[in-house]
Amino acid sequence: MERLISLLIGYVCGLLQTGIIVGKMNHVDIKQEGSGNAGSTNAVRVLGWKAGALTFVGDVLKCVVAIVIVRGLYKESSMVPLLAMYAGLGATLGHNFPFYLHFKGGKGIAVLGGLVVSTGFALVPIPLSAFLIAAIFTRYVSVGSLLASTTFFLEVVAFGQLGYFKMEAAFLYELYVLVFILMVLAWYRHKTNIKRLLSGTEMPFRSDKK
């Protein structure tokens, strides 16, 4: 039951589509502009860096809030890191598949950023570095996003095996499964980007806002 509640708390928090709100503040329907995605990358392209940064921060925070709620609710539990990961998965699902937008939301990378931070600051440098290096040198945010999700999975497993999460083995392996699902979900949500990368038609990252 704790797992389901944590997942639902995350999903509800993830339903807040920051990009749409920021778009409305600028009198723009972000779902009808650029790539049609409600995430921060499209917000930068359509509305500029300030709006993109605001969208990114909002998407990060909704995952953080979900995890803070779950950690507070189950602070006496022996599987708090696992329940926090369920909340992070829920927030990602809410962001990516909001029911009120016909299950068409963002791609969940900013939400993943909130999950990485909430899992522990020790885990932040590697996914962040992977994202920045890939995005800067290739100019493709999609490449950075895919690398960040993959490195996060790998380091969660590595940190887990080193005893970082302080949970019994069954909970730990379940945690690995959740992070693997998040990685697969990130790759799935970027499937069109991957096709464009392979065909050489992927759009380099830039702001079209004048």
Side-chain angles (χ1 to χ4, degrees):
M1 182 59 72
E2 295 95 335
R3 294 170 174 79
L4 179 58
I5 292 174
S6 299
L7 190 69
L8 289 175
I9 289 173
Y11 185 81
V12 171
C13 290
L15 289 175
L16 178 66
Q17 298 292 314
T18 314
I20 293 178
I21 295 173
V22 172
K24 289 184 180 298
M25 291 168 56
N26 289 273
H27 311 291
V28 172
D29 183 355
I30 195 73
K31 298 289 289 182
Q32 300 299 321
E33 301 289 341
S35 67
N37 190 276
S40 52
T41 301
N42 195 42
V44 171
R45 288 190 174 124
V46 175
L47 299 169
W49 288 97
K50 183 178 179 180
L54 187 58
T55 300
F56 179 82
V57 170
D59 287 343
V60 167
L61 286 179
K62 66 187 181 186
C63 183
V64 173
V65 168
I67 291 174
V68 167
I69 292 172
V70 168
R71 285 186 178 276
L73 191 61
Y74 296 111
K75 58 185 176 182
E76 304 299 330
S77 174
S78 61
M79 55 176 182
V80 171
L82 176 61
L83 296 177
M85 197 62 69
Y86 269 102
L89 175 60
T92 303
L93 293 174
H95 176 80
N96 291 0
F97 308 107
F99 70 90
Y100 63 94
L101 292 176
H102 307 291
F103 302 98
K104 296 179 180 178
K107 296 180 180 178
I109 298 304
V111 179
L112 179 65
L115 178 56
V116 174
V117 171
S118 300
T119 303
F121 285 106
L123 281 79
V124 173
I126 295 177
L128 178 61
S129 298
F131 176 83
L132 290 176
I133 291 172
I136 290 172
F137 283 95
T138 68
R139 293 186 63 202
Y140 296 128
V141 173
S142 53
V143 175
S145 299
L146 294 172
L147 283 178
S149 66
T150 302
T151 55
F152 180 56
F153 165 68
L154 294 175
E155 72 171 351
V156 165
V157 174
F159 274 61
Q161 293 304 108
L162 292 172
Y164 179 83
F165 296 105
K166 298 180 174 63
M167 293 189 300
E168 61 181 77
F171 294 153
L172 193 59
Y173 295 143
E174 188 176 348
L175 180 75
Y176 298 162
V177 171
L178 293 184
V179 185
F180 180 76
I181 291 172
L182 283 163
M183 180 185 71
V184 171
L185 185 60
W187 281 74
Y188 171 75
R189 292 296 289 169
H190 283 82
K191 61 183 184 298
T192 55
N193 301 86
I194 295 171
K195 290 179 181 178
R196 289 196 296 266
L197 285 168
L198 293 175
S199 66
T201 59
E202 176 73 330
M203 182 185 300
F205 181 64
R206 67 178 187 273
S207 173
D208 294 331
K209 178 76 171 178
K210 303 298 183 183

